Amino acid sequence: MKSKNATQNIAIVGAGIAGLATAIRLQASGNKVSVYEANSYPGGKLTAFTADGYRFDMGPSLFTMPQYIEELFALANKPMHSYFSYKRKDTICNYFFEDGTTFSAEADIAKFAKSASKVFDVDEQSLIDYLNRSKKKYDLTASLFLGKSLHKFLTYFSQDTLKAIFNISSLDINTTLADYNSKVLNSDKLVQFFNRFATYNGSNPYQTPGIMSMIPHLEQYFGTYFPKGGMHQITLSLFELAKDLGVQFYFNSKVEEIIAANNQVDGIKVNNVFLPFDTVVSNADVVPTYRKLLPKHKAPEKILSQPRSSSALIFYWGISQEFPQLDLHNIFFSENYKTEFDTIFKGNNVHLDPTVYVNITSKEEPTDAPNGCENWFTMVNVPSNTGQDWDEIISRTRENVIKKVSKLLKQDIEPLIVYESILDPRSIEANTQSYQGALYGASSNNKFAAFLRHPNFKSNINNLYFCGGSVHPGGGIPLCLLSGKIVSELIEKAS
């Protein structure tokens, strides 16, 4: 191992968001970083495409906690406005229920509570109390679960950890999110509304613990945003920042193996050529990392065999009409939410009445669609790919989605679909090497899920690290950025 503060030659496997963030941090701290990506483009799931005058962001569509991107530019000593800009949304999402009820969730907490109290006939203060409890859970646990490695001994002896332990009864770890919401909310529709936040990490609200009720705090307190140019601009701006710092990128360069011997990483093999490195960081999904890149090393089978998170079936639709009742984010709820999640996680299938999410970036960027048209990113939650008949599922689900959205919008949308492309768990897995096409690696359907995720390092191989959505902390853009932060700090401390 090199002496402390010595420049390291570091390889990152994969140019996903966590890989880009890790590369920026390590290069900015004086290391020499090279990123190897099997695809011809950066970003992993966070990419985009254009067709017939429509532009679509392909992957993540919700932007929260921009401070973690701002931090990267600050560390790099580069002006963010030269690369990236965004606006805060006043309306978070529009919701449509089967009985015709509609609700626009406002970002301002007081306005949200006032509006929701009228729509759902509940006490306004009860909603403010709910969000205050969400904030408390986040404040108590964020530094432990998000800011540090859960697999380092010293993590559990910090003042923040002790504070969380003393307040453990208020975290609702021993109940499910659905049971917690049912207990504290006097409205079935509000229970469904707040149960939806389990999907932010691909989990089941009827299984994931009540501590997940902290997730609404991320929207209501930190806000939701739209990047100028769309979500893909996050990838493009971080990619440009990394290049400007001197990070070297090698695309169409699939890493075939991570080479390690005598408890020490030695480098990587690309195109059957060994490339020596002091440190290697895998931004690939942890399952294929072991199965394909570390075939000579014993895999942690208990960790790798955990149930996967949900995946997604996405219809990219060019719509030849504008809908003023829709916004950037829109949800069309299933009538029976529990049946929907039972179908996904127990039946390994897609419910006949799925909840539908529609993201329309042309609401913010008119050039994303032809004049008078809209670009619909139309998504339903589905199980990970375990060999289902996806062609049959896609055909059936497409029909059900069109029927549902048409009913709630009071207009047949099928004749309006003038362009269509489809992404399903098979193609997600093929394009991004995400095991079974799961969006967030392992699910968070039990109270120990965070502790069971793979750590950001390998204890028996020095200088081998892991970042991204399939390790701790995993899932979503903010957590991938935090994963990169934890890894870079671990590397700096070890060097």
Side-chain angles (χ1 to χ4, degrees):
M1 185 177 295
K2 292 194 173 188
S3 62
K4 190 165 183 65
N5 297 324
T7 298
Q8 290 196 69
N9 193 21
I10 300 174
I12 296 178
V13 182
I17 291 299
L20 292 173
T22 304
I24 289 167
R25 288 179 176 277
L26 292 173
Q27 187 78 23
S29 63
N31 298 289
K32 181 181 178 183
V33 180
S34 300
V35 181
Y36 294 84
E37 169 58 53
N39 290 314
S40 60
Y41 53 86
K45 298 182 184 73
L46 190 51
T47 184
F49 73 96
T50 58
D52 293 356
Y54 295 90
R55 192 199 71 87
F56 297 95
D57 288 312
M58 289 191 70
S61 57
L62 177 66
F63 181 33
T64 60
M65 306 180 83
Q67 62 266 33
Y68 294 122
I69 292 180
E70 293 172 352
E71 185 179 43
L72 292 174
F73 286 94
L75 286 171
N77 197 27
K78 298 284 187 179
M80 188 179 72
H81 63 83
S82 298
Y83 299 80
F84 184 65
S85 63
Y86 56 86
K87 61 174 284 189
R88 183 166 184 151
K89 288 285 294 175
D90 293 329
T91 299
I92 295 174
C93 185
N94 286 346
Y95 293 86
F96 299 80
F97 294 84
E98 273 294 302
D99 66 357
T101 299
T102 61
F103 174 60
S104 292
E106 296 185 75
D108 180 87
I109 291 177
K111 292 180 180 179
F112 169 86
K114 184 174 183 179
S115 175
S117 70
K118 293 179 179 178
V119 172
F120 302 112
D121 191 24
V122 296
D123 177 60
E124 188 174 329
Q125 186 60 44
S126 69
L127 291 163
I128 294 175
D129 291 343
Y130 183 97
L131 294 174
N132 285 338
R133 288 192 295 271
S134 296
K135 181 180 187 303
K136 181 179 179 181
K137 289 171 185 174
Y138 177 85
D139 290 342
L140 284 170
T141 60
S143 65
L144 171 62
F145 287 102
L146 305 182
K148 299 185 179 80
S149 171
L150 288 177
H151 303 85
K152 287 292 186 180
F153 188 68
L154 290 177
T155 295
Y156 299 93
F157 290 90
S158 70
Q159 185 175 357
D160 289 344
T161 302
L162 294 174
K163 185 177 180 181
I165 292 172
F166 287 135
N167 287 273
I168 197 166
S169 62
S170 67
L171 299 180
D172 297 296
I173 292 173
N174 294 315
T175 188
T176 68
L177 177 62
D179 284 344
Y180 168 76
N181 286 336
S182 295
K183 182 177 70 173
V184 301
L185 296 167
N186 191 28
S187 163
D188 289 343
K189 288 185 175 67
L190 269 180
V191 170
Q192 184 173 28
F193 174 92
F194 283 109
N195 279 352
R196 184 182 77 84
F197 288 94
T199 65
Y200 282 38
N201 61 8
S203 299
N204 181 349
Y206 303 92
Q207 291 180 290
T208 199
I211 193 174
M212 292 301 175
S213 63
M214 74 169 72
I215 297 177
H217 173 66
L218 305 184
E219 283 193 358
Q220 295 293 160
Y221 180 78
F222 292 109
T224 61
Y225 301 82
F226 181 77
K228 182 174 175 56
M231 293 293 288
H232 189 218
Q233 194 59 40
I234 296 173
T235 292
L236 297 179
S237 64
L238 295 184
F239 177 52
E240 290 302 318
L241 176 61
K243 288 194 299 181
D244 287 350
L245 288 175
V247 176
Q248 296 296 309
F249 286 88
Y250 301 89
F251 293 104
N252 299 306
S253 298
K254 185 176 181 179
V255 175
E256 297 157 346
E257 187 176 352
I258 296 173
I259 307 298
N262 300 319
N263 300 322
Q264 176 69 41
V265 76
D266 294 319
I268 59 176
K269 185 188 290 185
V270 181
N271 295 325
N272 208 33
V273 175
F274 169 70
L275 302 173
F277 286 95
D278 301 313
T279 294
V280 174
V281 181
S282 177
N283 182 210
D285 187 296
V286 70
V287 176
T289 294
Y290 276 98
R291 301 293 186 231
K292 299 177 182 180
L293 305 185
L294 292 166
K296 299 170 186 174
H297 299 269
K298 185 178 179 180
E301 296 299 339
K302 186 175 181 179
I303 290 177
L304 301 190
S305 63
Q306 291 180 79
R308 298 294 97 184
S309 77
S310 60
S311 185
L313 172 58
I314 306 171
F315 301 96
Y316 304 98
W317 286 338
I319 301 291
S320 61
Q321 182 179 311
E322 293 181 310
F323 286 82
Q325 65 269 52
L326 300 180
D327 200 350
L328 174 64
H329 302 293
N330 310 273
I331 294 286
F332 299 82
F333 271 127
S334 169
E335 187 170 15
N336 192 322
Y337 219 32
K338 188 174 189 306
T339 299
E340 178 179 9
F341 282 95
D342 282 346
T343 304
I344 294 171
F345 286 98
K346 296 179 181 179
N348 213 26
N349 209 325
V350 180
H351 187 32
L352 295 177
D353 175 30
T355 295
V356 182
Y357 166 70
V358 179
N359 174 254
I360 310 172
T361 62
S362 60
K363 295 290 186 180
E364 300 292 337
E365 291 279 355
T367 56
D368 281 356
N371 189 40
C373 302
E374 294 179 344
N375 61 333
W376 285 21
F377 169 112
T378 311
M379 187 194 87
V380 297
N381 294 307
V382 303
S384 59
N385 176 33
T386 56
Q388 299 95 321
D389 184 351
W390 284 107
D391 292 335
E392 185 278 328
I393 291 174
I394 290 169
S395 176
R396 163 171 42 93
T397 303
R398 183 184 187 276
E399 180 179 341
N400 291 333
V401 167
I402 290 173
K403 179 180 177 181
K404 181 180 191 68
V405 175
S406 296
K407 173 189 172 184
L408 294 178
L409 290 181
K410 299 180 175 61
Q411 181 174 352
D412 184 6
I413 66 167
E414 185 159 25
L416 305 178
I417 301 172
V418 295
Y419 171 81
E420 178 178 80
S421 182
I422 300 172
L423 186 71
D424 64 63
R426 298 169 302 181
S427 44
I428 292 171
E429 184 170 18
N431 295 343
T432 66
Q433 297 298 302
S434 300
Y435 181 57
Q436 294 184 352
L439 297 182
Y440 308 100
S443 74
S444 296
N445 285 337
N446 74 64
K447 61 185 177 182
F448 301 112
F451 300 92
L452 296 174
R453 277 185 173 268
H454 195 285
N456 301 97
F457 59 93
K458 183 144 179 73
S459 59
N460 60 352
I461 301 180
N462 292 327
N463 288 16
L464 175 58
Y465 299 88
F466 304 83
C467 67
S470 64
V471 297
H472 170 77
I477 295 170
L479 294 189
C480 283
L481 294 171
L482 278 168
S483 177
K485 180 177 182 179
I486 290 173
V487 167
S488 61
E489 290 174 349
L490 290 173
I491 292 172
E492 292 302 309
K493 288 176 182 178
S495 64

